[in-house]
Amino acid sequence: MNPKIQNPYLNALIPIGGVVLLGIFTSILTWGLAAFDVIEMPVFWISLIISGFFCLIWLIILFLGARKVKKIRRFLASDRPLIRWTYSTVEWKRIKELDWNEQRQDWKLQWGCMGLLIAAAGGLTGAMLGLGEGFGLILVNILLGLLVGAAIGLLLGAVVAGGNHLDSWLAYRRKEPAQVALGSGEIYTGFDYFHEDGKLRFIKDYELNSGKENTLTVTLIFPPRPRTPNEETWIIPVPDHLVEHIDRIIPELRKSPIND
């Protein structure tokens, strides 16, 4: 029986969804203010365009995730997995506790970093607007830019960081133990799926580490991506009774994949 498969991009859908809701609220607010001549109508159109842009991104991610879910279902229903397992209740509880302890405080760093970055951008914008207006006015513009940027950054940071924290919390609250399946050039971890194509996407290596916590470290190579390393490491917890079995089949896992 196959497990319930969640969208692999849920960790992006939740925070971006928060930004979309914030954008919709901002669009409604600016429309109301424009209707009463408090602000100019172009401000509303700008907010609407920005909201529409993030909404489009959210829909694209949702579509890509749904397409990947179909690939996962085909993989699990095929004979391609060389090994698969479902964690026991005890194992699953320990895995969730470890992940939660590592990620539960990350939102504070994300929130603070976004606030500082946008505050700096606001200060720089204020300085540029004040050029040629005198040193005193430049300082005033920088201060205003910092304050406005910090306010916007803290608000956006709260939405994004809160969304990421919610995603971690939902993963921690997930009761159904994850299922893992490994095939030649294919991996399903219970949360994400990778299928190499032998050209731009491929598995660089497997490393089995046994000890207090048994793990299978898989190094993945992705096509070149802007501002993102093309190499990722997935660490998969391995139950004690499967360590020797996985060690034996690693040579099979390293063989060329069967392309869809």
Side-chain angles (χ1 to χ4, degrees):
M1 181 178 178
N2 287 332
K4 180 180 179 181
I5 301 172
Q6 70 175 32
N7 191 307
Y9 301 133
L10 189 63
N11 59 342
L13 286 171
I14 292 178
I16 294 178
V19 175
V20 170
L21 292 177
L22 178 62
I24 292 173
F25 171 77
T26 303
S27 297
I28 294 173
L29 178 62
T30 53
W31 175 81
L33 293 174
F36 287 96
D37 295 325
V38 178
I39 61 174
E40 299 294 330
M41 185 59 72
V43 177
F44 160 69
W45 290 113
I46 291 173
S47 67
L48 186 63
I49 290 171
I50 294 174
S51 300
F53 173 74
F54 281 104
C55 185
L56 179 61
I57 291 176
W58 189 87
L59 290 173
I60 291 172
I61 295 174
L62 181 67
F63 169 76
L64 294 176
R67 189 175 67 171
K68 184 177 276 193
V69 167
K70 291 183 178 180
K71 292 182 179 180
I72 294 171
R73 293 189 189 281
R74 289 202 300 267
F75 175 52
L76 295 179
S78 71
D79 60 356
R80 299 200 302 270
L82 299 177
I83 184 174
R84 67 172 75 192
W85 69 85
T86 300
Y87 295 107
S88 68
T89 302
V90 175
E91 291 168 341
W92 185 235
K93 182 178 180 181
R94 185 175 72 252
I95 291 169
K96 291 193 301 179
E97 288 288 349
L98 290 173
D99 288 342
W100 176 244
N101 289 334
E102 288 182 1
Q103 301 176 22
R104 62 191 304 176
Q105 301 298 330
D106 288 352
W107 68 274
K108 296 180 181 178
L109 179 62
Q110 296 165 356
W111 189 21
C113 286
M114 183 164 288
L116 289 174
L117 286 174
I118 299 184
L124 180 61
T125 302
M128 293 177 65
L129 292 175
L131 288 177
E133 302 294 334
F135 182 73
L137 188 57
I138 290 178
L139 288 179
V140 171
N141 285 343
I142 290 175
L143 179 60
L144 289 175
L146 286 172
L147 292 175
V148 173
I152 295 174
L154 290 174
L155 179 60
L156 285 175
V159 172
V160 174
N164 288 328
H165 186 69
L166 176 60
D167 174 65
S168 299
W169 183 79
L170 290 175
Y172 175 67
R173 297 289 296 175
R174 177 177 170 179
K175 294 182 179 180
E176 181 185 9
Q179 181 181 127
V180 176
L182 307 176
S184 177
E186 291 182 88
I187 302 173
Y188 173 59
T189 66
F191 291 96
D192 207 348
Y193 169 76
F194 182 87
H195 183 191
E196 69 176 29
D197 60 13
K199 298 177 182 179
L200 297 176
R201 297 167 50 89
F202 60 91
I203 298 174
K204 183 178 179 181
D205 197 16
Y206 297 86
E207 182 179 352
L208 182 62
N209 304 290
S210 58
K212 183 178 180 181
E213 297 292 339
N214 306 313
T215 59
L216 179 65
T217 302
V218 187
T219 305
L220 310 174
I221 303 298
F222 290 84
R225 299 173 291 180
R227 299 182 181 181
T228 305
N230 68 331
E231 183 173 307
E232 285 187 13
T233 300
W234 289 7
I235 300 178
I236 305 171
V238 177
D240 293 337
H241 66 282
L242 293 177
V243 172
E244 293 184 3
H245 187 183
I246 292 177
D247 190 38
R248 288 196 303 269
I249 67 170
I250 282 180
E252 294 294 321
L253 295 174
R254 286 177 174 146
K255 290 184 178 179
S256 298
I258 301 173
N259 294 319
D260 284 338

